[in-house]
Amino acid sequence: VIDPIPTMEWTGRGLRLLDQRRLPESEEYLDCRDVETLADAIRTLAVRGAPAIGLAAAYGAVIAAMTTDPGEGFAAGFGRKLDLLASTRPTAVNLFHCLRLQREVAGESAGGPEVTGLLLRNAHRLFEEDLEASRRMGRLGADLLEPGCRLLTHCNAGGLATSGLGTALAVIYEAADRGILEMVYADETRPLLQGARLTAWELCHAGIPVTVEPDSAAAALLAQGMVDAVFVGADRIAANGDVANKIGTYPLALAAREAGVPFYVVAPTTTLDPDTPSGEGIGIEQRSAGELEVFGRRRIAPAEASFYNPAFDVTPWRLIEAIITEKSLLKGSEEGLFSVDSATD
Amino acid sequence: VIDPIPTMEWTGRGLRLLDQRRLPESEEYLDCRDVETLADAIRTLAVRGAPAIGLAAAYGAVIAAMTTDPGEGFAAGFGRKLDLLASTRPTAVNLFHCLRLQREVAGESAGGPEVTGLLLRNAHRLFEEDLEASRRMGRLGADLLEPGCRLLTHCNAGGLATSGLGTALAVIYEAADRGILEMVYADETRPLLQGARLTAWELCHAGIPVTVEPDSAAAALLAQGMVDAVFVGADRIAANGDVANKIGTYPLALAAREAGVPFYVVAPTTTLDPDTPSGEGIGIEQRSAGELEVFGRRRIAPAEASFYNPAFDVTPWRLIEAIITEKSLLKGSEEGLFSVDSATD
């Protein structure tokens, strides 16, 4: 059995995060004891991945309560801190979902240890639910695979993106546990290289064979019959089954369809956004030119150029074989998502 | 009128190359006065791009003749030096084509100033023919465009990849000259970033507006209707019209088809390889893991991972609207390439 990756840990005084900006070169931890530090950690991708962002924000609400004076002004001060957390990343729906739940827990309370305790208990519950959802998604996904399978994934939808096991990588961990996994291909995932830096790191950590390739080489791998299935995560899933996920997911889905290879999205039901009818309604975060202009200290493009750096793209539901949630397999359609198989456990 | 980029220059004693490994940070030149230095420059991509490699090798044959003792052993010594040049890059057919022409010029000669002069004259002729071919391809390609067009390109098929104007970028330069070009989108082109480092550099140099994006974002640009046509170069074109070009060309062609955007390949007829029936027969160069494992001095993937780093992929002829040569527009088919339009000048 694979141990969860120590993505985040509540220390009693705040949230301790594995600083993902520094992987794989060094394993450093970041102690967040105020909401500003945590918001900055989310914005700069020290913690990233839709479920992990949501959980970090849920613990952030605890920090918000601990650092806001109890009394009459509590609700307003607490609310402003949650607004700051909500402003960090615009696409991941889990962030808004977890913050909404914590706002409900705090209600009209005037603060103090009791509400802090309730918020903490709720954050722990969300964390445990995410871990259990990962295990269920892993089993449902692995049930679709044959022995000797070679899987391809994009970005990092692993332990580092969640409470510790992942979404797409939960399937990979489960397949490895069952002894049916031959190779994982990991797109390096420009510009921030979450595939090369994070997915490869956590798979090596777990002793799972991984091959890293440029994003642009995945289509050639698929065309050559070197991949049996593609598994990716999701940042938001619209009501019709369109999926927003890391930039590069959409061309990967096109290449998989062309090669006749099934393309699966793995995401907990908290990633579903029934209020957004289709992918067109999903706001796509634009990130800074600096991520494309310099690497480390080296300039890799002329300063006079312009840059286009969206964090996500939208994959239409038609390209997706199934969405694997902790409850069942879903398929998209013009009329909305429907279940194609039920979890038996 | 756009000035050709000073990719290479014969100095009388050897070949002076703009060292493309150092762009865009610094403009440095490399003097190649022996075949070993030139072979290393080709292998390490100080000079790259199928037509430029061919021309550099043609001048390399002059250096080979200058540095081989005349007399009985000349033919064998000269031949070995040309073999070294031929061994540098396995995919670009222009390399073999130019070396074959120079071998024919040298024939059974015993060396000396006369044969060196003949080889140099032939290299200059090939250089001038390439420049003229670029101008013709530029005009033929620009004739396909409407005012206000937004074009997307991959890797560098520009002046730096040729005698000085390019293949795909010759079309872009001509469109800019005609005042019909609104924007060029340049895929950054991992792992060696020829799009960000070289294409953006030479377009900025020429005052042409350029936007750099990750390779994986090109599909989103196409899906959003932000691109009117795609133009790429080629390293080898099989008899049926399948095209080997920089890794990432094939998924770009898939995304263009999905978006209903025409996908053009621009290449001189020297890139055609009638001896290779289809893309399956094209040998694909595998490059080193180091290009994916480290960046500058920074490790970007764990040392325990494996790496897959092909230099090229194959785009099937069915995805290509037309191949623009200096003579005419060509279309692929199972029966071979055929001309769909003739150059009128």
Side-chain angles (χ1 to χ4, degrees):
Chain A
V1 176
I2 305 282
D3 289 328
I5 297 283
T7 308
M8 65 182 76
E9 189 194 357
W10 181 255
T11 63
R13 299 177 64 181
L15 190 63
R16 194 161 178 255
L17 297 172
L18 178 55
D19 188 345
Q20 301 188 28
R21 297 167 301 191
R22 306 203 175 267
L23 288 172
E25 288 188 308
S26 64
E27 295 176 30
E28 292 175 33
Y29 288 84
L30 201 64
D31 271 314
C32 300
R33 296 185 186 179
D34 56 69
V35 164
E36 290 72 20
T37 304
L38 179 60
D40 195 57
I42 296 173
R43 200 179 294 112
T44 61
L45 279 52
V47 59
R48 26 65 51 205
I53 291 170
L55 296 171
Y59 285 110
V62 185
I63 298 171
M66 286 165 69
T67 55
T68 304
D69 290 335
E72 218 174 90
F74 177 83
F78 176 79
R80 273 195 300 274
K81 286 179 178 171
L82 267 53
D83 290 345
L84 174 64
L85 290 170
S87 74
T88 50
R89 302 285 307 274
T91 303
V93 76
N94 316 58
L95 173 64
F96 312 124
H97 174 74
C98 287
L99 288 173
R100 188 165 53 238
L101 292 176
Q102 293 292 54
R103 279 186 217 267
E104 284 169 20
V105 167
E108 295 303 309
S109 133
E114 195 189 332
V115 70
T116 303
L118 288 172
L119 289 165
L120 181 59
R121 206 180 320 157
N122 198 44
H124 283 329
R125 183 183 62 79
L126 290 167
F127 186 94
E128 290 303 324
E129 281 177 3
D130 187 74
L131 207 52
E132 179 56 23
S134 285
R135 290 199 182 92
R136 286 170 170 264
M137 289 186 283
R139 288 194 292 267
L140 278 174
D143 287 348
L144 303 167
L145 299 172
E146 304 285 335
C149 62
R150 302 153 303 168
L151 309 180
L152 188 143
T153 189
H154 188 68
C155 195
N156 175 265
L160 291 166
T162 63
S163 54
L165 280 174
T167 53
L169 292 202
V171 177
I172 283 166
Y173 288 134
E174 178 68 20
D177 256 4
R178 295 185 187 180
I180 60 172
L181 180 66
E182 186 176 311
M183 178 56 74
V184 178
Y185 291 99
D187 285 356
E188 62 170 9
T189 317
R190 281 284 291 161
L192 295 179
L193 301 167
Q194 292 95 333
R197 292 193 305 108
L198 308 180
T199 294
W201 177 84
E202 65 169 280
L203 293 179
C204 286
H205 202 260
I208 293 174
V210 57
T211 298
V212 176
E213 71 281 339
D215 304 318
S216 63
L221 278 172
L222 285 157
Q224 290 163 53
M226 290 166 76
V227 177
D228 299 303
V230 179
F231 289 89
V232 299
D235 289 79
R236 195 189 300 197
I237 301 174
N240 69 344
D242 289 351
V243 168
N245 190 47
K246 176 58 55 200
I247 189 73
T249 301
Y250 165 58
L252 185 57
L254 288 177
R257 180 184 62 182
E258 189 73 8
V261 171
F263 183 90
Y264 296 105
V265 171
V266 190
T269 46
T270 49
T271 310
L272 301 176
D273 179 16
D275 297 335
T276 300
S278 77
E280 282 176 41
I282 300 177
I284 299 294
E285 175 183 359
Q286 297 291 328
R287 296 193 57 86
S288 78
E291 294 179 357
L292 296 175
E293 224 178 329
V294 289
F295 196 102
R297 290 207 186 89
R298 194 170 164 202
R299 171 163 289 282
I300 55 173
E304 301 87 343
S306 300
F307 297 89
Y308 174 66
N309 189 20
F312 308 101
D313 60 22
V314 173
T315 301
W317 63 265
R318 283 187 180 81
L319 299 175
I320 300 165
E321 180 77 14
I323 296 168
I324 301 168
T325 75
E326 74 281 17
K327 294 181 180 158
S328 64
L329 304 192
L330 302 175
K331 286 275 272 185
S333 77
E334 273 165 30
E335 289 74 37
L337 285 160
F338 61 93
S339 183
V340 285
D341 195 4
S342 294
T344 49
D345 58 344
Chain B
V1 175
I2 305 281
D3 289 328
I5 298 283
T7 307
M8 65 182 75
E9 190 194 357
W10 181 255
T11 64
R13 298 179 62 182
L15 189 64
R16 196 161 176 252
L17 297 171
L18 178 55
D19 188 345
Q20 301 188 28
R21 296 168 301 191
R22 307 203 175 267
L23 289 173
E25 288 189 308
S26 63
E27 296 177 29
E28 293 175 32
Y29 288 83
L30 201 63
D31 271 312
C32 301
R33 295 186 186 178
D34 55 71
V35 164
E36 290 72 22
T37 303
L38 179 61
D40 194 58
I42 296 173
R43 200 179 293 112
T44 61
L45 279 53
V47 59
R48 27 62 55 203
I53 291 169
L55 296 172
Y59 284 111
V62 185
I63 298 171
M66 284 165 70
T67 54
T68 304
D69 289 335
E72 220 174 87
F74 177 82
F78 176 78
R80 273 195 300 275
K81 286 178 177 170
L82 266 53
D83 290 345
L84 174 66
L85 290 170
S87 73
T88 51
R89 302 286 306 274
T91 303
V93 75
N94 316 59
L95 173 64
F96 312 124
H97 174 74
C98 286
L99 288 173
R100 190 166 50 238
L101 292 177
Q102 293 292 55
R103 280 186 216 266
E104 285 169 18
V105 167
E108 296 301 311
S109 132
E114 195 189 331
V115 70
T116 303
L118 289 173
L119 289 165
L120 181 58
R121 206 180 320 157
N122 197 45
H124 283 330
R125 181 182 62 80
L126 290 167
F127 186 95
E128 290 303 323
E129 280 177 5
D130 186 74
L131 207 52
E132 179 56 23
S134 285
R135 290 199 182 92
R136 284 172 172 262
M137 291 185 283
R139 289 195 291 267
L140 278 174
D143 286 349
L144 304 166
L145 300 171
E146 303 285 333
C149 61
R150 301 151 305 166
L151 309 180
L152 187 144
T153 189
H154 188 68
C155 193
N156 174 265
L160 291 167
T162 62
S163 54
L165 280 173
T167 53
L169 292 202
V171 176
I172 283 165
Y173 288 134
E174 177 69 19
D177 256 5
R178 294 185 187 179
I180 60 173
L181 180 66
E182 187 176 310
M183 177 57 73
V184 178
Y185 291 99
D187 285 355
E188 62 171 9
T189 317
R190 279 285 291 162
L192 295 179
L193 301 168
Q194 291 94 334
R197 293 193 304 108
L198 307 181
T199 294
W201 177 83
E202 65 168 280
L203 293 180
C204 286
H205 201 260
I208 293 173
V210 58
T211 298
V212 176
E213 70 280 340
D215 303 319
S216 62
L221 278 172
L222 284 156
Q224 289 163 54
M226 290 166 76
V227 177
D228 299 302
V230 179
F231 289 89
V232 300
D235 290 79
R236 195 190 301 198
I237 301 174
N240 69 342
D242 289 351
V243 168
N245 190 47
K246 178 57 55 200
I247 189 73
T249 301
Y250 165 58
L252 185 56
L254 288 176
R257 181 185 61 182
E258 190 73 6
V261 171
F263 183 90
Y264 296 105
V265 171
V266 190
T269 47
T270 49
T271 309
L272 302 175
D273 178 16
D275 298 335
T276 300
S278 78
E280 282 177 42
I282 300 178
I284 299 294
E285 175 183 0
Q286 297 291 328
R287 295 191 58 86
S288 78
E291 293 178 359
L292 296 174
E293 224 178 330
V294 291
F295 196 102
R297 289 208 187 87
R298 195 170 163 202
R299 171 162 291 281
I300 55 174
E304 301 87 344
S306 299
F307 296 89
Y308 174 67
N309 189 20
F312 308 100
D313 61 21
V314 173
T315 301
W317 62 264
R318 283 186 180 80
L319 299 174
I320 301 166
E321 179 79 14
I323 297 168
I324 301 168
T325 74
E326 76 279 18
K327 294 183 180 155
S328 65
L329 304 192
L330 302 175
K331 285 277 270 185
S333 79
E334 275 164 30
E335 289 74 39
L337 286 159
F338 60 94
S339 183
V340 285
D341 196 3
S342 295
T344 49
D345 59 342

